[in-house]
Amino acid sequence: MSETDKEVDVLSGVETTGHSWDGIKELNNPLPRWWLYVWYGTIFWAILYMIAMPALPSLPGLGSRNTPGVLGMSDRSAVAESVATLHAERSAASAELLTASLQDIQNNLDLQQFAMAMGESAFGDNCATCHGAGGRGAKGYPMLADDVWLWDGTLDGIEQTIRHGIRHEEDADTRFSAMPAFGRDGLLTSVQIDDLVQYVLSVSGHEANVGMAASGESLFQSNCASCHGMDAKGSRDVGAPNLTDADWLYGSSPDDIRATITNARNSHMPAWQGRLDDATIKALAVYVHSLGGGE
């Protein structure tokens, strides 16, 4: 459309561009001045940035490097410097952690916060695979976010467990106990195991067959009470669980209990001594202790 025959929209009084789609004509409105100024400003800023900062990759003569920029900034160098600073700060705190007792850590707020942060990170890297995020546990893996402990829930006790593991035969100081496989090894008959199952259900408050439970009680006293106690409340000395509460590591159904009595459940936890340094083990003990409220 020439200058002499420009079309003006009747309703708005604005010239059209001459373009039309389905009878809708495009008006030739200029861009807002503020928008143009912002656009020009971004172009100007981009040019300045390319001059000052590393920006253009692999220009001729630079090999595989980008343009360095007049300020000589480097993200790689900045990250390396930050990591080195963080490592130095952590090293100092870790050294203090090594010389402090677990009780001293609990009483020193700054050291406790460092141990908690360090322990949470180590837990996520090494322990959460089995115990779950936040120590929520899973079937066969103890929940650490409560205050129910198979062995010892004190700070020192938790450190002992982390350091030496459970049934970790390569460590002479590991926590060790072994439940017999009463069914698999032929120590009890299938009928006797069924009676024991009913007795365990009865002492834990579940519905049970009264007659079978009565027969199972004598079997329990002669075969199980040496570890679980005459009252079935367990013993931390041998890691025997309390059978009278509502906390079950492998499930509380009759089938789960029968499987436990028949085949035993002697799970294994690795010893972390030698895999983790002493400061990390201490930090883990503080973190795990905090999950359950602490004994």
Side-chain angles (χ1 to χ4, degrees):
M1 184 178 292
S2 65
E3 293 290 332
T4 57
D5 57 355
K6 288 181 179 179
E7 183 182 5
V8 177
D9 178 63
V10 176
L11 295 176
S12 63
V14 178
E15 293 180 2
T16 70
T17 63
H19 301 152
S20 176
W21 293 271
D22 296 330
I24 300 174
K25 295 180 179 180
E26 180 184 13
L27 300 182
N28 191 20
N29 281 312
L31 293 170
R33 288 183 178 275
W34 68 266
W35 191 93
L36 285 172
Y37 292 151
V38 171
W39 185 44
Y40 295 148
T42 58
I43 295 173
F44 180 68
W45 174 257
I47 294 171
L48 289 179
Y49 188 91
M50 285 191 296
I51 295 172
M53 302 291 288
L56 301 176
S58 301
L59 289 180
L62 291 177
S64 60
R65 297 186 302 110
N66 55 285
T67 54
V70 296
L71 296 181
M73 295 294 293
S74 170
D75 287 343
R76 186 182 298 275
S77 299
V79 169
E81 184 177 344
S82 297
V83 169
T85 301
L86 181 61
H87 185 267
E89 293 174 352
R90 286 185 174 179
S91 295
S94 295
E96 187 177 356
L97 202 63
L98 281 174
T99 58
S101 69
L102 289 168
Q103 287 68 31
D104 290 338
I105 295 170
Q106 286 288 85
N107 296 330
N108 185 322
L109 183 58
D110 291 336
L111 197 55
Q112 183 187 38
Q113 288 179 338
F114 173 77
M116 287 285 291
M118 185 177 181
E120 183 177 12
S121 177
F123 187 92
D125 292 340
N126 300 281
C127 313
T129 304
C130 293
H131 291 286
R136 66 178 181 271
K139 188 172 183 177
Y141 301 99
M143 175 185 287
L144 304 177
D146 58 18
D147 215 14
V148 178
W149 302 93
L150 285 175
W151 294 91
D152 189 340
T154 65
L155 274 168
D156 291 329
I158 294 170
E159 184 188 15
Q160 165 78 9
T161 301
I162 295 171
R163 187 176 296 279
H164 300 292
I166 298 172
R167 302 181 187 91
H168 189 78
E169 295 181 357
E170 291 79 7
D171 191 313
D173 295 319
T174 192
R175 296 192 184 277
F176 189 84
S177 64
M179 175 179 171
F182 289 101
R184 187 183 65 209
D185 295 340
L187 302 176
L188 295 175
T189 66
S190 178
V191 173
Q192 289 174 317
I193 290 174
D194 287 339
D195 290 345
L196 260 179
V197 169
Q198 294 303 312
Y199 175 73
V200 172
L201 287 170
S202 69
V203 298
S204 62
H206 290 76
E207 183 178 347
N209 182 295
V210 176
M212 294 175 69
S215 299
E217 182 176 6
S218 60
L219 289 168
F220 183 90
Q221 299 301 334
S222 59
N223 292 276
C224 313
S226 58
C227 291
H228 291 282
M230 302 294 286
D231 56 2
K233 291 187 179 296
S235 170
R236 288 187 179 181
D237 292 337
V238 291
N242 183 352
L243 303 179
T244 67
D245 59 18
D247 296 287
W248 296 85
L249 186 55
Y250 289 96
S252 59
S253 72
D255 288 340
D256 288 330
I257 297 171
R258 184 178 294 105
T260 298
I261 297 172
T262 300
N263 298 307
R265 308 277 197 179
N266 295 313
S267 55
H268 166 257
M269 173 182 163
W272 292 99
Q273 182 171 258
R275 304 184 187 198
L276 301 176
D277 59 53
D278 288 343
T280 302
I281 290 175
K282 275 191 174 183
L284 267 174
V286 172
Y287 175 70
V288 171
H289 185 259
S290 72
L291 292 178
E295 285 191 349

